[in-house]
């Protein structure tokens, strides 16, 4: 398996560390804003419906930003783990090296452009069963596999028992009541 050299991984490690420190600071700042905003919103909540609605929307937006930033921090931690395991920069789809410029622009990426295109096209959505079937086809040819498929015989139909209609029973009961 080809991979980036230890020196190159060290360079990527520095880039990721810088991004990680910046993302952690931004995450803390966003969390502080959320807690401050939550405290302020609770003081005058209920006085004005339009202001309450606007405040709730702002709080939701802040919470979404926190979640995105938290995901970014997690992605950066995962990238550091890939560097430690010396698999950083290897496309998870194709197994080839991801372009250096792409890694510098998006250090958390796990896919090359080629891998992303393959995955988006659905070509790479192959299961183990598909691989086994394809291997079998190569050995025997597709026609032999198709000819081996047998349809099960249809189940035997059981005659349905005749049911007495309720209508007839009701009519009989009404006749008995009249007598």
């Amino acid at each position: 398996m080809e991979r980036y050299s230890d020196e190159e991984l060290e360079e990527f490690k520095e880039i990721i560390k810088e991004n990680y420190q910046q993302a952690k600071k931004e995450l803390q700042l966003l969390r502080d804003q959320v807690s401050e905003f939550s405290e302020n919103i609770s003081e005058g909540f209920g006085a004005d419906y339009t202001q309450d609605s606007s405040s709730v929307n702002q709080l939701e937006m802040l919470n979404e930003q926190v979640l995105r930033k938290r995901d970014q921090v997690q992605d950066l931690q995962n990238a550091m783990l890939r560097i430690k395991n010396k698999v950083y920069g290897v496309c998870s789809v194709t197994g080839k090296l991801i372009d250096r410029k792409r890694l510098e622009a998006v250090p958390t990426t796990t896919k090359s452009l080629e891998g992303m295109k393959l995955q988006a096209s659905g070509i790479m959505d192959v299961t183990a069963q598909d691989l086994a079937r394809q291997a079998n086809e190569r050995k025997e040819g597709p026609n032999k596999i198709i000819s081996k498929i047998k349809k099960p015989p249809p189940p035997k139909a059981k005659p349905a028992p005749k049911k007495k209609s309720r209508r007839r029973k009701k009519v009989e009961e009404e006749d008995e009541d009249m007598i």
Side-chain angles (χ1 to χ4, degrees), residues 48-65:
D48 183 13
Y49 175 74
T50 55
Q51 187 177 3
D52 292 348
S53 176
S54 174
S55 298
V56 168
N57 285 340
Q58 288 176 345
L59 185 59
E60 286 177 3
M61 284 177 45
L62 276 173
N63 279 322
E64 286 177 27
Q65 288 176 340

Side-chain angles (χ1 to χ4, degrees), residues 11 20 45 53 55 95 123 135 140 169 179:
E11 290 173 26
Y20 179 76
F45 202 76
S53 176
S55 298
I123 293 173
E140 301 180 10
K169 190 175 182 180
I179 300 178

Side-chain angles (χ1 to χ4, degrees), residues 14 17 20 28 37 48-49 57 67 71 84 89 99 136 138 145 164 172:
E14 291 305 314
K17 275 185 180 180
Y20 179 76
Q28 188 57 48
F37 196 79
D48 183 13
Y49 175 74
N57 285 340
L67 291 175
D71 289 344
K84 183 178 178 184
D99 185 52
N136 223 356
R138 282 192 300 275
I145 290 176
K164 242 185 181 180
E172 290 173 4

